[in-house]
Amino acid sequence: MTVPGAWYLTLAAVLFTIGAVGLLVRRNVLVMFMCVELMLNAVNLTFVTYARMLDDIGGQSVVFFVLVVAAAEVVVGLGIIVSIFRRRTDATADDASLLRG
Amino acid sequence: MVFVVAALAILVGAFGVILSSNPVHSALMLVMTLFGVAVLFVAQQADFLAAVQVIVYAGAIVVLFLFVIMLLGVDRSENLTVEPLRGQRVAAAIAGALALIEVLFLAGSRWATGARSSAGTASGPGSNVEKLARSLFTRYLLAFEATSVLLVIAVVGAVVLAQRNRADDASLGTSTVTEPSPEPVPSPDSAPAGHSLGSGTEPAVDQPAAGAA
Amino acid sequence: MAGFPYLTSLVVVPAVGAAAVAVVPRDRDEVVRAVGLVASLAALVVGVVMLVQFDGGLGSFQMVSHHRWIPDWGISFTLGIDGISVFLVLLSTLLFPIAIAGPTVHRDYKGYVAWMLLLEAGCIGVFLSLDLFLFFLFWEIVLVPMYFLIGGWGYDRRVYAALKFFLFTMVGSGLMLVGILVLVFLHERATGVLTFDLVTLARDQSLAETTAKWVFLAFAASFAIKVPIFPLHTWLPDAHTEAPTGGSVILAGILLKLGTYGFLRFGLYLFPQAVVDLAPLFLTLGVVGIIYGAVVAIVQRDLKRLVAYSSVAHLGFIVVGIFGLSTQGLQGGVLQMVNHGLSTGALFLLVGMIYERRHTRQIAELGGIQKVAPVFAGVFMLVMLSSIGLPGLNGFVGEFLVLIGTFVTHRWWTVVATAGVILAAIYMLWAYQRVFQGKPEGANTVFAEMSWREWAVIAPLLGFIVFLGVYPKPVLDRIQPTVNALVRHVEEHSDYREPAVNRGLVDARSAGAARGAGGVAGAAGNGTGR
Amino acid sequence: MPPLIETPSIDYANFAPELILVVGALLLLTGGTFLRRRRVGSAYAIFTVLTAVAALVSTAFLWHRVSGGHGHAVLGVADAIVVDGYSVFFAVVICTAVVLGALLSDDYLRREGLEGPEFYVLMLLSASGGLLMAAANDLIVVFLGLEILSIALYVMAGYHRRRAQSQEAAIKYFVLGAFSSAFFLYGVALTYGATGSTNLGAIATFLRANTLTEGVFLGGMAFLLVGLGFKVAAVPFHMWTPDVYQGSPTPVTGFMAAAAKAAGFAALLRIFFSTFATNRLDWQPIVWALAVLSLVVGSTLAVVQTDVKRMLAYSSITHAGYVLIGLQAATDRGIAGSLFYLLAYTFMVVGSFAVVTLVGRRGDDSHDLESYRGLARTSPGLALTFTVFLLAQAGVPFTAGFLAKFYVIGAVVESRSYALAIIGMMAAVVATFFYLRVIVVMYMGGDPAAGDAEPA
Amino acid sequence: MLHAAWLIPALPLLGFVVLLLAGRRLGDPAAGWLATLMVAGAFVTTLVVFSGLLGRSGDDRLFVQDLFTWIPAGGLQVQAGFLVDPLSVTMALFVTGIGTLIHLYSIGYMHGDDGYPRFFVYLNLFIFSMLMLVLSSSFLGTFLGWEGVGACSYFLISFWFERPAAPSAGKKAFVTNRVGDFGFMLGMFLIFTTFGSLQYTDVLGHAGSLTHTTAMAIALLLFLGAAGKSAQLPLYVWLPDAMEGPTPVSALIHAATMVTAGVFLMVRINPILAEAGGAATLIAVVGAATALFAATIACAQQDIKKVLAYSTVSQLGYMFLAVGSGAYVAAIFHMVTHAFFKALLFLGAGSVIHGMHDEQDMKRMGGLRKWMPVTSVTFIVAWLAIAGIPPFAGFWSKDDILANAWDKSPILWLVGVVTAGLTAYYMSRQVFLVFFGKERWKETAHARTEPEAEAEPEHEPAAAAGGRDMAAAGAHGEHREFTPHESPPTMTFPLVVLAALAAVGGALSLPFGSFHPLETWLEPVMGDRLHKLSLSGSTQVVYALGTVVLALVGIAIAYLIYLGHRVREESVEPTVLRRAWYVDPLYAAVIERPGRLLASWCAYFLDAKVIDGAVNGVAALVRGGGTRLRAVQSGYVRNYALAVASGAVLLVGYVVVRGGG
């Protein structure tokens, strides 16, 4: 038997939510970034599920691009993180609060 | 059955990411989620993507994460019981709860109302790779080409970010914003206003002066 | 000469002058003065020639120059003049040379003159525009030069005053812009024609009554702030007091008129029924302004501030005249706009001269000047009496017409407004007493008489003050056809009917009895003595 | 033997501007390697400007193509992009931003000791992403364009290596950008599920045939709005704006404010106005709320700023509100108004940041209002220029800013959202206050005796 | 000949203009002579016009000369023109006539004053305005003159502007007059509303068609104006203060001409009054009350001019009593005779003041008869005239009024008679104090009553009090050693002429017989509205004798007190009368002080705090909102992310709810 698409999609939505909430509550920039990856994965899961439900290969193609984007984002993102938080014992996002108001 | 297991893995992994105090553990839990997702890809006839998922995500991205964690040496455990930003967790929880409620609402409705197979079928004869390739090089050709630009940027960006640190280190010694903090960074809400990244205020102020001199 | 674009020239000449001044080297004040004077006087000459060409018998727009501009939006560059605007334009062309050449400017004369000329172009543009968009454009642009004039050449609290002036006015303009757009688009919806043309919009009258009321209020907000109508007046004392002398002259002489002119041209013309319905509100506010402005003026300690509050009172009369919707009231209102420009302009010039000599505007620090400078005091007295509304001087004619016309249509408001005449005497005479009478002491014992330059500046104003008081007929005759047309327009598009007595169509002598017995038919608030 | 896959025929002319930018960037990158560490003067900047100008020239041809004899839009590369007046318009706007940004950067980079071709490479590539967004006829292309644009900007924001603020801007921009991208992407996913395609043309066709009231589709729309709202800095997705604008190197800020916002709006307008036209009643209230919030929050917060750069950042939020007003009207006139607004805004904002760059001096630190005190005396030309830009932003007549406001307000009045129009005008008043404040300091702050009389 | 009417006001106007431009060059006394010449010319012209009018038959004595349209506005067409009829010519005659005399007098009186040319500038302007007032062909023209004379009165009262009291008095006069003008203006508005015109010929010719109420309203409003100008209750307060002006001014403006403008106006509108029955009664009552009220005050004043001022108020009351009784001719009659003798009294007083070196306190005079023979003789003539002793002019006119008042109401008559007695008393008191008795000006300074006696109203309490004290002190010290002297001929000549007129002026209208030239002359103006006495001639004589007896009693009492010293002077001059029934302090407490408090409250609380406070409050609100919102912009990236997430949740929530799931 096939699991209904709705289950997948709900799972993806929950995963997306977890990722989003995670980004809100974690201070470590790297972990926050991982949460973004969680969200992207949720999106990917959604796409693939839709691809199956609609019997459309387009959904899978999109995932491919998302992966590329995720990779590029990681490269640059981690580059930024490295350049800022090098030789720091923790990469706390809250420290970046020079600009405010 | 596969779905349940994979879903469990995904959720446990996801919660693991956000609940592990140690970033390394988070990264490992992320891998678990990624694998779960890959399994579900397979379960939905996206074989190629499942492979890519494992290779790119687990193989490249997470490794990169771990590498950076090690490089920065920020693998110290984060104290998760403290939240310096007042109200942040409560608000996040409320937002999350609302989001879940909305998801439940959505779950009751029709999820997939779209037209079927507008970019070619996913099932039926032919391998998944072939169909994917056909779609990528026809309908998504431009997108495919555009990714090249993206990758160029990623490369240039990485080079810029890395190279200029080197240049700075060479020419300016250690007086950059990335200078290690001689003392523990005070927590944001107890710190006086205007403190910067690490001891960043200091170079930010004296650097232009040095340049002017 | 018939084809000469007078109106366009009136706008362009000062603007070109401003540009010319802008390229003069900063330290060549005499060149700047020459260029500024030439430009503003050229505008004056154009204005006078235009007046000669002006057909006083016509009630409609004349010399209309019309060019397509933004066809997508039905916007055109349309200028035109009629009996209401012609004298306001002339007043502008008269006051600007005075403001440019008259007062002593202590810094950056070039900038001062450039802004002044730009301001002139803007003001004249407002008076001439027959396209709502164009009108709004000029209306708004006027703010900028005035802002810089107050802020750059003003007194101690100039920055505050300039900002207050700008923002206050902009609130109104914002509402008006929305109003204009609502009007235009509702008109399009009703007629299928998208146009900003004033005449077309006024003729079609396609707005529903309630809508028209709201749209009118949006316009009115802007005009009311500019006039200013109580309780939106508080920018005015600050702006007047802090502005340089020339700025005050223009502010009082021209800028305030933009508001009342707006009521006439855009309020009455576009929204007759709304104006008729809301007239009691505005009459009340106008009357309150008359009394309130005068009462507050009484206890002012700063001479300029006192004159500023007197403006609130005077403008109240104009508002009453406009919303009284009577031929006399409207004619008087228009005339009073000119009059107020002349006499209050002159007052500000004189106060400026006092400041030049004594470096104070505080009434308490002045005194006994009549002893030292009798001629100066005499001039001040004349202008003051004009401001009080002494018959034989210009102020009276306007005020009287406003009151007598409005009395017929809106009796009880007029009764209260007339009481303002008493208060005017109190604050003006008391101020005169404290500043000019008594024994001069201390620094007041030295007070130079008027110089030739000051005479040259003030003499034209004095001339008109007397002339318009004695023989206002040429002006009134040219205003009348337009006012008649306007009143007919209002009657045509509303349930208002002007009393016959105002109109003068019925032979007054024979009908006096009937009216005396039965009251004037159709007038609001009527019921002669019953 | 026929190819295994029939790739669609590609008329490269259809995305010539993008191509020119990318090729220019690559040339610069390669060339830069050889020129490294030599005295290159303004060569990089000049090359960048030339590239952008070339792109602009190519847009002229495109313009001819889409507006000439054969009707309007031209679809290209398997319907992934569309060339129409709209996309050409944004190409012009963004390329203009590149020209201005490059001109601005040259002096700045040398002043700050940050020379190198990479900056310009990133700028060109980023611009190509913007162009892609504007021309995209596929949500995924929009997404890729968005990422190209953004990722380059992340790097550029942190380009000033010695300024902690610059670094902080980069990390904030990056974290939030990635976050919002995820939202956007999720929106794409839901829309895909609801309509069965990511192609905007296909979506539009589908929506015309089917009435969708399902939460999935509407949710997807909402998520798209979140992602794009973030890009255009609409409240409540604006919070990165002040920090990033303030922290980034000033030329980058100028470029970012112009190009990123234009690109964001390009996508927003195309997706919502053209594609989701059938569901207008669903998204109009949201846009209404976003517009009002942007206007109110942007202008209110700008009032209390003392840093000119930051003030301009908040003012850009207000400007976003105005463009949204045009979108809210959801009429041709409204969109035309929004487009005009963006064009005017580009010049105003780049110009403003140009002045800020010049005043900022070495270290890019002198952005406090105090740095502008008496500017009219020390450099009258600069002060006058800034005044013009500020007055234009305030919407004073005879400036493009006025016409822009007039058009959007007019459009929204036409569609009878009177409240929005009035809020817009009142926000303009508040906005005027802070623009005038700068002018006051420049012109009337000369003598310290009278300069302090700030109103309440 | 009638076409010369425009010349009448034109000549003084010309004088005004010339003096304004060249007055200082002409100087003292040429400026004065020029001004006098102009007024004399006007007088001559008036005579010419008068003769022209006489040449016409009774009903044809109306001539309108319109120069140009002054104010054309729709239904309102106001002509600048002149209405020449018996009434206006009568007024013009005595205005120019007395005006000429007073100009002449001023040449001497003002000699040596700093503002000599200025004085004549004002004086000529005044004559012009007054002539406009009486000659204009429309209400508005009259109003022009009305306000003009008011302004001139202001100028002239505050002529010595360096004295603190003078400007205050001038201002008071102007403002009080404006209160009256308020009524005048409203009256005009109502006339326009009713008749559609302000031309006398249009309005008065159709007055018969007025409803009673409208007529009453118009009449009362115009009466308010008249009460202001003619110093009737309750607006009389400015006139006593107006004595701050030079004495010729008091004579010309505040006795002979301007103050009678109100009476003129009432007579002018007699067709309207005829329709407004109740109004006439009110006018009569106000007139009578004023007459009595002012007379009581006059009994206790020490200032030689103040007595005359209150006397003027009182006599004006008589005139209004006459108007109210419908005795318009009597009113005009009394106006003319009053102009003669009151001008004479003022000029005499001026002569005394001149001779006494600016001393005005009667208690410091006495026995001047020997030193100033001409002045004293003429003054005594005037005294007898005003006291109502036959055959002097005052007797006839006053008796005429009283007879008419009897017809109106015996109570009014009684008041009039009592006033007549009081008048005789206080005038005798003045004459005795000034010209008879001991030469008190020789007494030492310390014996004098102190400045308090002047009982001035206080306008600028601090400044004024100090200034006045100083002035008084200076004056005392100055003319310690002097002998009073008779005035120069330019001053005494007018006295003599006026004395002659005061003596025989009664011939204009002799009540008991059938010789009524004035009435016949004025008949075209009054028509059938003129009140016809119900009393027979012989009854009138009886009443008249009674009045004369009463007057003689008054004189006798004054003699007993002030020459016989049978009663202490102070006991018949109670403080309440000396302080004029405390009306000035009352007005200050009831109107002025609350008014000023209100103004201060408006300016410094309502305007500054409430209205402007609201404006600044909005600004503060925006600023406060900004500051509060700033806190949200915390600088923490996670906060920002929270905002994004919350926004997303809300948006999605909205669409989900909207889409119904």
Side-chain angles (χ1 to χ4, degrees), chain D residues 297-388:
Chain D
V297 172
S299 53
T300 317
L301 269 169
V303 166
V304 291
Q305 301 304 324
T306 52
D307 185 292
V308 172
K309 230 171 140 184
R310 198 169 178 82
M311 186 275 281
L312 287 173
Y314 279 111
S315 95
S316 85
I317 295 172
T318 314
H319 288 306
Y322 284 108
V323 183
L324 285 175
I325 287 183
L327 174 62
Q328 204 277 338
T331 55
D332 287 345
R333 212 169 248 142
I335 299 305
S338 292
L339 295 187
F340 186 84
Y341 202 105
L342 281 169
L343 181 66
Y345 168 78
T346 301
F347 287 102
M348 296 185 305
V349 80
V350 178
S352 300
F353 281 112
V355 176
V356 173
T357 309
L358 293 176
V359 176
R361 291 202 285 279
R362 184 154 166 80
D364 205 3
D365 269 337
S366 307
H367 299 310
D368 196 83
L369 212 47
E370 282 306 306
S371 314
Y372 290 77
R373 188 169 293 286
L375 193 67
R377 271 183 303 118
T378 51
S379 35
L382 199 60
L384 184 66
T385 315
F386 202 27
T387 303
V388 171

Side-chain angles (χ1 to χ4, degrees), chain D residues 221-276:
Chain D
M221 215 160 65
F223 278 122
L224 289 177
L225 204 49
V226 173
L228 293 172
F230 176 87
K231 269 284 148 250
V232 303
V235 179
F237 316 115
H238 68 287
M239 301 190 78
W240 59 278
T241 319
D243 292 7
V244 173
Y245 278 26
Q246 188 188 356
S248 300
T250 312
V252 176
T253 311
F255 175 72
M256 183 193 295
K261 190 158 291 200
F265 270 114
L268 190 62
L269 299 182
R270 191 187 288 281
I271 293 173
F272 280 83
F273 177 64
S274 313
T275 312
F276 293 162

